[in-house]
């Protein structure tokens, strides 16, 4: 008869190899893929443990780049949104430093497609998953099921009442920064134009705005809610124009909405910030290409990516570790959409 046939166990994951070998996830990834900074003795030990357990090196990332390591998946709702493009860029940087590759999937903000994308990543045996849930409630089943199968971290958005790691920005602090800024420049009537309550971010920014308006004793206005799209920002301004006098300031739920609002105001012959101040949220490249440049709440992209990566690796190495719930502080970048440009 021929040589002994070794049947590989499809269920063995990288963190199981790491636990059995007594080393970190990153060390296993580097050892199995010929990366630097791993001694020959360690590499040989890891290879022996992996073979004994029947670990099959994940090949998903190999199609993307020769010599790649273990693969991490990320599911985002709208890949075309500059916010997610920047976040993915920073995630990839931090993952590569640890020997991981990144596979990106777009749910298009649809719960059914999100479930399919998560299932696909699990079936392809990624070692961990980042997910930006498309719905604060309806994403529960798919995200919870995935978290039981694969180490998972919710990023930017979260599912309500789900026990899972989460890393995101402090939306309360961000909205407070924006409202405090426009009121310090004389605004009294302030309107929120933001995402609806489908997402946790939409809910949090709405609640934060209502709280800060109440605490400052500002007049209550009819806010406008929709999706985080350029076209929504345009439609919201058309609605505001139809109501009558414009508010003193528009607090947009993200930079896309703010850019749409500014474009619609300019088409209507209104001046920003003379007629109405506009602020954004995220701090993407859109803030710099807007005319006038956009005052925006800046998310700490690199810190978000680093914290999320650390949370995922922690979950991979210790599935029983306490859940992480991290809210990172944003900052405000002031530009001409709230402050008239200096004249010479």
């Amino acid at each position: 008869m021929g040589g002994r046939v070794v049947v590989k166990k499809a269920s063995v994951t990288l963190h199981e190899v790491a636990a059995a070998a007594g080393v970190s996830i990153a060390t296993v990834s580097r050892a199995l893929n010929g990366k630097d900074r791993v001694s020959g003795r360690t590499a040989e030990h890891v290879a022996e443990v992996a073979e004994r357990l029947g670990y099959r090196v994940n090949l998903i990332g190999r199609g993307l780049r020769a010599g790649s390591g273990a693969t991490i998946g990320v599911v985002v709702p709208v890949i075309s949104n500059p916010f997610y493009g920047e976040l993915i860029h920073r995630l990839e940087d931090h993952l590569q430093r640890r020997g991981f590759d990144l596979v990106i999937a777009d749910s298009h903000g649809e719960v059914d497609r999100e479930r399919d994308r998560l299932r696909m990543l699990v079936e392809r045996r990624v070692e961990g998953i980042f997910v930006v849930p498309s719905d604060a409630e309806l994403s529960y089943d798919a995200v919870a099921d995935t978290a039981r199968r694969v180490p998972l971290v919710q990023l930017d958005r979260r599912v309500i009442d789900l026990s899972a790691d989460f890393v995101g920005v402090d939306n309360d602090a961000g909205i407070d920064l924006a409202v405090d800024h426009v009121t310090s420049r004389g605004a009294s009537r302030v309107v929120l134009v933001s995402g609806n309550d489908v997402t946790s971010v939409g809910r949090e920014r709405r609640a934060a705005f209502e709280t800060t308006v109440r605490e400052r004793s500002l007049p209550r206005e009819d806010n406008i809610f929709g999706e985080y799209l350029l076209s929504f920002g345009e439609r919201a301004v058309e609605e505001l124009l139809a109501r009558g006098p414009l508010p003193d300031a528009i607090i947009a739920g993200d930079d896309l909405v703010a850019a749409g609002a500014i474009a619609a105001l300019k088409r209507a012959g209104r001046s920003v910030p003379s007629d109405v101040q506009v602020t954004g949220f995220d701090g993407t490249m859109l803030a710099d290409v807007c005319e006038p440049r956009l005052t925006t709440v800046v998310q700490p992209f690199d810190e978000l990516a680093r914290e999320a990566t650390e949370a995922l690796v922690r979950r991979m190495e210790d599935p029983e570790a306490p859940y992480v719930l991290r809210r990172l502080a944003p900052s405000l970048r002031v530009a001409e959409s709230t402050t008239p440009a200096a004249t010479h």
Side-chain angles (χ1 to χ4, degrees):
M1 296 293 292
R4 181 170 61 93
V5 176
V6 178
V7 178
K8 302 295 185 183
K9 284 177 60 183
S11 61
V12 177
T13 62
L14 200 70
H15 71 269
E16 291 173 319
V17 176
V23 297
S24 71
I25 294 281
T27 297
V28 172
S29 179
R30 296 189 189 105
L32 294 179
N33 292 283
K35 301 286 184 179
D36 296 334
R37 304 193 302 279
V38 178
S39 69
R41 189 173 188 178
T42 298
E44 183 177 352
H45 171 62
V46 169
E48 289 174 353
V49 171
E51 183 175 1
R52 184 176 76 246
L53 294 178
Y55 175 73
R56 176 173 60 83
V57 175
N58 193 313
L59 299 179
I60 303 300
R62 296 287 178 87
L64 302 177
R65 189 181 72 250
S68 62
T71 306
I72 303 298
V74 59
V75 181
V76 296
V78 186
I79 192 75
S80 59
N81 187 320
F83 170 74
Y84 294 115
E86 180 65 24
L87 189 57
I88 287 170
H89 171 70
R90 301 301 180 94
L91 276 176
E92 190 168 37
D93 282 349
H94 284 279
L95 288 169
Q96 285 186 341
R97 292 171 196 167
R98 292 176 175 267
F100 299 116
D101 289 313
L102 185 64
V103 170
I104 305 161
D106 191 340
S107 71
H108 297 265
E110 300 171 9
V111 172
D112 289 344
R113 193 175 297 198
E114 177 179 71
R115 182 188 62 245
D116 293 342
R117 296 294 184 267
L118 288 169
R119 182 185 298 130
M120 174 270 293
L121 291 172
V122 170
E123 290 175 350
R124 294 189 179 186
R125 299 182 60 252
V126 296
E127 300 294 341
I129 293 175
F130 298 109
V131 61
V132 182
S134 59
D135 193 293
E137 297 179 11
L138 299 182
S139 292
Y140 186 99
D141 289 344
V143 175
D145 180 66
T146 303
R148 286 190 289 267
R149 300 167 182 267
V150 179
L152 177 145
V153 172
Q154 300 177 100
L155 183 57
D156 179 51
R157 305 176 182 176
R158 63 190 183 91
V159 177
I160 305 301
D161 296 329
L162 176 65
S163 296
D165 295 310
F166 168 77
V167 177
V169 76
D170 186 337
N171 287 302
D172 290 8
I175 291 296
D176 193 63
L177 283 171
V179 174
D180 183 69
H181 173 70
V182 297
T183 54
S184 73
R185 280 159 171 72
S188 174
R189 295 182 56 233
V190 184
V191 169
L192 177 67
V193 175
S194 186
N196 54 36
D197 285 353
V198 168
T199 70
S200 63
V201 165
R203 296 181 183 197
E204 290 166 8
R205 292 178 189 173
R206 176 180 190 159
F209 182 82
E210 291 173 350
T211 297
T212 194
V213 163
R214 185 171 58 251
E215 290 176 346
R216 287 175 168 79
S217 299
L218 298 175
R220 287 192 60 182
E221 303 286 338
D222 290 330
N223 302 312
I224 304 176
F225 301 100
E227 298 182 73
Y228 292 108
L229 299 172
L230 192 81
S231 57
F232 166 63
E234 294 174 317
R235 290 194 303 272
V237 163
E238 291 170 1
E239 180 177 334
L240 288 172
L241 289 166
R243 290 181 186 177
L246 286 170
D248 301 319
I250 295 172
I251 306 296
D254 77 349
D255 290 349
L256 271 173
V257 174
I262 289 175
L265 287 164
K266 290 172 69 176
R267 284 198 301 270
R270 303 306 175 92
S271 173
V272 177
S274 299
D275 293 330
V276 56
Q277 302 180 56
V278 179
T279 67
F281 200 119
D282 285 341
T284 64
M285 64 178 183
L286 277 176
D288 290 324
V289 300
C290 277
E291 180 58 45
R293 289 189 311 131
L294 181 64
T295 292
T296 185
V297 176
V298 180
Q299 298 218 36
F301 287 102
D302 198 66
E303 191 178 359
L304 284 167
R306 183 179 66 252
E307 292 279 352
T309 299
E310 290 177 357
L312 187 62
V313 170
R314 187 182 307 112
R315 181 63 48 202
M316 293 163 71
E317 295 181 340
D318 183 6
E320 304 303 319
Y323 291 118
V324 169
L325 178 60
R326 292 282 284 122
R327 294 279 187 183
L328 305 180
S331 59
L332 186 73
R333 188 168 67 220
V334 177
E336 288 80 30
S337 70
T338 57
T339 303
T343 57
H344 299 283

